[in-house]
Each structure stands twice: as structure tokens, then as C-alpha cells.
Amino acid sequence: MPRFYHDDPAWSDVEPIAQDDGGPNPLAAIAYTDEYSEAMGYLRAVMANNEYSERVLSLTEHIITMNPAHYTVWLYRARALEQTDTSLADEIAWLNPTALMHLKNYQIWHHRQTIIDRLGSPDGEADFIATMLGQDSKNYHVWSYRQWLVKRFGIFDDKELAWTESMIEEDVRNNSAWNHRWFLVVGGRGGQGVSEDIVKREIEYAQTAIRKAPQNESPWNYLRGIIRHAKLPTSTVKSFILAFADLEKPDEVYSSHALDLLADIYIEENKKDKAMKVLDLLANKYDPIRAHYWNYRKGLLEETGAVG
Amino acid sequence: MSLVSGPGRGGMTAIPAELQLFVDKHVRYIQSLDTRKDELEYWLTEHLRLNGLYWGLTALHLLGHPDALPRQEIIGFVLSCLHGNGGFGAAPGHDAHILYTVSGVQILATLNAFDELEERVKDGRKKIGQYIADLQDPETGTFAGDEWGERDTRFLYGALNALSLMNLLHLVNVDKAVEYVQSCANFDGAYGTRPGAESHAGQVFTCVGALTIAGRLDLVDQDKLGAWLSERQLKNGGLNGRPEKKEDVCYSWWVMSSLAMLNKLHWIDGKKLTSFILQCQDPEGGGLADRPGDMVDVFHTVFGLAGLSLLKYPGLAEVDPV
């Protein structure tokens, strides 16, 4: 049912302010548009008076339901919540279904962050996030929000790590989940060192994931990131890589990413000829779409005087 | 400029084997967008009106028809979105926000209209510059989107871009901003919206763009980032924005412009990408979609055309990657 304000006694004291768009507005083709433009007229009027009240909350809710991407409305609502004595828990309860209806909306998340920050507790947020990720497991806003929660409330615990693992378990190609794991183990800890045991655990974890889908970019990036972060040589994982790409078996390569790392290993070992052969395989056979990149890598190698 | 999608779809009618760009169709498509005020979506996308106008105008410039929209009317509309505090709203009556302020400045720059700005608004440029400068967080160097305080590297890039167009970069602490951008670099060599946030091609564009404006590309691990960017190309020639995601025409711009700033455009297969972008056209109604079979819209139209321009597609004006 459309909702109108012009015959509502609770709003009789407000004169709506019409949109000034440089000309007369065309007649709305759909009744819903009438409803929207009228509500906006009332919003402009209350904003002109700096009114923060119960009815403003209800008006902003109405407009957000019609158009959640209208950032001014959210901003005004956040102020109204502050000025009136409204239960923040109720606000979150209202936000949940709203966010589910609008998965790609920026404003909802910022609003939620403001409210949860004021509430001072992440209780219930994990469940809500699970529901959201059920709709789109790679939603950038949801993962950014999860990261904010972890940081704001210091949730770098085993439970969070286990949850991240369950997300990777569900879809080993979920790069957002891999990024979250990195944040928990390395990135979010403010430069704190990672112990040898953990480095070993992470290398094994990435390797297990690679075995499931050898051409999946995410765990390879992760593996490379851990090795680099721990300042280990790439040859640390040489035997693992040879199982996916081996110059002895050029027709049985299971992953272009393995070839990429193999080239790094041969460069480390000063085996220029072998590294060249690996890069040739990439440019000509296993990743020809990026031939120019692989040829660039060959060029770099030629410049260095390494002996084969 | 309306952000209404459609009415046509990309790649529905068989595009001839000899792929071509339907320049006139796209020009007419963009011109038609502002006549669709009777559609609901026109009103629901009001919060993006100024961005849409910039995208449409840029597309027309790329297509070699910069005068296809009336210059004076555009300037009038843009200035009607300007607030006394120096910020632009998305449309008249909307709050000021950095995203619209950037679009407003970009449109004025495209139309060479800074003189008209000064005529109609005293000290206009200075006011706009100050509005942007005040959004910088002195502690971290990043920028808020509005007084509400949401932070994102998109805003930081937009701020530097608009200020450099107005020659007002000295109003902000560029070194601090650069420091912040570098704190968004990830283990895979790419960048996210905030420190720790997942790498995303759109965010790479904003970060590399900001560093280019600041003259600090030396801070980027260029080979590593270039490799990550070239990994975005899929077998069908299209580019995605994150590992294991679907291709989308708009990444033809975000990925390609970043590669262009790093001088590594040739690291992707240009022929395959060109053919993918052309498949996304609606050969009859004009416009481009995110991928073949979907509805066309102005956003994907401009970024597809800008991608083609970087690929040196014949007949398109050259675009500046920053």
C-alpha cells in the first residue's frame, strides 16, 4: 500500500518543499513515484527545520524502503537516531531485512557500523553476516564489515579462524575468505611477527587447498604471500610445486601458477636456462593470453648475467 | 543524465564477424537518456545524476561528438548542484558529497568552464578546493566522503583528481595521502578500499591514479601489480575485478587504465578484449552492457568505450588513464 502524508493529521503542520529540477516535473507514470516524490518533499521540509523526531524516523524509514541508495536520507536518519532516544537494537533489527533486500548498497553498511560502534558489542553480528554471505559469498561490503568488527572488538581468535576456514571449505575459490584469513593471521596484527609454527601451518593449509583446485589463483597468491612475509626462499615449496609442474614432463602441467613459482625457484638457484624454458612454456602453451608478460620476465632474465 | 538501464541488451542480435563499433547508435543512446524522466528508475537513480552526466559527457567526447549535449544547460545544471560550502550534491537539493564534487569538477574541466564558474560563483574554485581539503583526515591522510565520515580510497583518489584539475593540490597533505594509499597495498601486490581490505581492480585504479597524480609511482611494486592486473583477463577475453569472479566491461577501464599508468597495457591480450567489449554492444539501440546478454547502461557504455580508447580502437578520441 502506498503511503501519503498530505492527508495525514500527524503531518498537517508541514508544508512539503517541491523538487527544484529546473522545470516542471513530468507526470509520474507509476503511482509509486508519486508516493516517492511526496515523501521526498516532506523530507526536504523537515530537514530545512532541522527536525529530529519519531515521525522523522518513520519518514526516513519509508524513503529508505523505496530507495536505499539515497545517501542524504541515511545521514539524516543517523542524526535523528542520535537526537531521539531510540533503541539501537531495534534499529539493527530493522536493518537486517533491509540489508538482505539490497545486497550491493554502500550506505546500509556504513550506517550499521555507526550503530554497532555506538552499541559497543558485536553480539549477533556473526549470524547476520552468515545470512548475508548466504546470498552472495563474495560480497565486498560484508567482508569489509567483518574485518571492521574483528578490528573494533579484537576478535582475532580461533573461532574466527575456524569460521573463515569453513567459508573456504565451502568454496575454495572464494578470494574474499582467503583475504580474511590473511587479515587474521598476518595483516590485521599491526606488524606483529608470525611464528615459525604458524608459517608452517599456513603453508600446509594453502597447499591442501591447491590440491583441490590447482588452477585456483587465491591459494597460490596466499602461499606466495606467506613465503615472502616469512622471508623464506621459494624453493621451500619446491617438491610441492614439482608435483604440479615439472620440466621433465612438459605435457603434464596442472597449474600455470606452479610454473610461475617454478621459474622463481630456478632464478633463485641461478639456473637461467631452466627458468627460460619454464617461462617459454607459460608464454606458448599454458598461459598464452599473457604472453607479453611472460616474455617481459624472460627479458629481465636476459638482462641479469645469471649462468644456466 | 539518466542512469536508467536498457531498454536494449548487449550482444543479443548477432554482431557481424567483422566486429565494429556503432558510434552513431551510442551517441543517440546517450542523448536519449535525459528524455526518460517518466520512468521510475530515473527518479530512483537521482542520487547518481551528476556522475551519470559526467559518464555520458565523457562517452560523447570519446566518440568524437563532444557537442551532442547542450553545453550551457549542462553548466547550469552542474552549478545548480553546488552548495554554499563548496561541495556538490548529486542533484539539486541533495547533500554535498565528495563523489559528486569530483564529478562536478570533472564536468567543468571537460567543458573548459572554470571561467564561467568564477563568473557565477565568486571564488568558486577556491571554495570547492577548500571543501575537498577539509575532508582530509589530518592523522591518516585519507579522505572522508562527507561530513558523515565514511572512508574509502575512492574518495582519496577523487580528491586528488579534482584538486589537480583545479591546480589546487597544495591545499592538502599529499605526502600523508600517499602514505595512506601505500597502507592499502596487499600481499598479492594489489590494493583494497582500506588497509587490509581485499584487492579489487576498481580500488587498484584509485590507488594507482592517486599515486600517479602525486608523482609517486616509484612506491608501487609495478611488476607484481602488473602481473595481478593481467591475471584479470579470462579466456573469453573479458576482465574481472577480483580472482575467481565474472568478467565485466567496466573492468576494461579499471584494469586497463591502471596498466596504462604502469606502461604495461600490452600485458593483456588487446585483440581478445576488444572483441569482448564489442560483443557487449546493443547494435540497434546503442549502449554497452556489463557482458553480452545483459541490459545496457551509461556506466558500462563509458567504461567500455574508454577501454576501447586505451586499446587504440580506430576513430575514438584518446583518453587520459588518470
Side-chain angles (χ1 to χ4, degrees), chain A residues 195-211:
Chain A
S195 74
E196 250 177 68
D197 285 352
I198 291 185
V199 168
K200 210 175 143 219
R201 180 191 77 191
E202 294 306 299
I203 289 177
E204 273 166 20
Y205 185 78
Q207 290 180 341
T208 308
I210 289 168
R211 285 191 194 98

Side-chain angles (χ1 to χ4, degrees), chain B residues 157-169:
Chain B
Y157 160 76
L160 296 194
N161 175 294
L163 290 172
S164 78
L165 287 174
M166 297 187 294
N167 286 322
L168 293 173
L169 267 182

Side-chain angles (χ1 to χ4, degrees), chain A residues 19 71 138 140 147 290, chain B residues 46 95 196 198 230-231 244:
Chain A
Q19 170 92 359
Y71 62 98
K138 300 176 180 180
Y140 201 91
Q147 233 181 54
R290 299 205 294 155
Chain B
E46 195 181 24
D95 278 359
E198 186 186 358
S230 64
E231 274 285 346
E244 305 296 335

Side-chain angles (χ1 to χ4, degrees), chain A residues 19-21 25-27 29-30 32-33 36 47 66-67 69-72 74-75 78-79 106-107 110-111 113-114 136 138-140 144-145 147 151 173 175-176 178-179 182-183 215-218 221-222 224-225 228 257 287 289-290 292-293 296 300, chain B residues 37-38 40 42-44 46-47 77 88-90 92 94-97 100 146-150 152 154 186-188 192-200 203 221 223-224 227-228 230-235 237 242-245 264 266-269 272:
Chain A
Q19 170 92 359
D20 176 16
D21 207 9
N25 292 340
L27 283 176
I30 313 171
Y32 192 70
T33 308
Y36 180 71
M47 283 177 69
M66 289 187 281
N67 186 13
H70 198 302
Y71 62 98
T72 303
W74 285 102
L75 172 57
R79 279 197 211 124
Y106 280 90
Q107 286 78 17
H110 190 67
H111 189 73
Q113 201 169 305
T114 312
D136 171 9
K138 300 176 180 180
N139 186 312
Y140 201 91
S144 300
Y145 177 64
Q147 233 181 54
K151 218 169 173 173
R173 295 175 188 273
N175 195 59
S176 307
W178 283 98
N179 186 69
W182 179 272
F183 182 75
Q215 194 49 35
N216 177 13
E217 188 184 344
S218 304
N221 281 343
Y222 193 85
R224 206 194 290 253
R228 193 161 134 137
H257 305 298
D287 195 17
I289 205 165
R290 299 205 294 155
H292 287 295
Y293 169 65
Y296 165 81
L300 286 183
Chain B
K37 294 188 182 173
D38 56 342
L40 169 67
Y42 179 89
W43 298 105
L44 293 191
E46 195 181 24
H47 60 281
F77 176 78
F88 288 84
H94 285 234
D95 278 359
H97 189 285
Y100 315 112
D146 54 28
E147 52 189 300
W148 203 15
E150 185 190 358
D152 186 324
R154 285 183 305 153
N186 281 323
F187 63 94
D188 53 17
T193 47
R194 283 185 281 212
E198 186 186 358
S199 293
H200 185 290
Q203 245 51 55
D221 187 340
D223 283 1
K224 200 165 183 220
W228 187 89
S230 64
E231 274 285 346
R232 307 280 55 79
Q233 189 162 35
L234 304 175
K235 289 218 160 59
R242 292 186 262 163
E244 305 296 335
K245 295 276 286 181
K264 298 187 190 324
H266 58 291
W267 282 12
I268 61 117
D269 188 326
K272 280 196 168 167

Side-chain angles (χ1 to χ4, degrees), chain B residues 213-270:
Chain B
I213 293 169
R216 291 309 308 273
L217 273 184
D218 60 294
L219 295 172
V220 180
D221 187 340
Q222 301 197 12
D223 283 1
K224 200 165 183 220
L225 177 57
W228 187 89
L229 286 166
S230 64
E231 274 285 346
R232 307 280 55 79
Q233 189 162 35
L234 304 175
K235 289 218 160 59
N236 63 9
L239 306 172
N240 65 13
R242 292 186 262 163
E244 305 296 335
K245 295 276 286 181
K246 271 193 195 169
E247 69 285 357
D248 182 322
V249 150
C250 71
Y251 295 112
S252 310
W253 173 248
W254 309 120
V255 172
M256 295 290 285
S257 56
S258 303
L259 283 170
M261 289 185 264
L262 302 173
N263 281 321
K264 298 187 190 324
L265 265 184
H266 58 291
W267 282 12
I268 61 117
D269 188 326

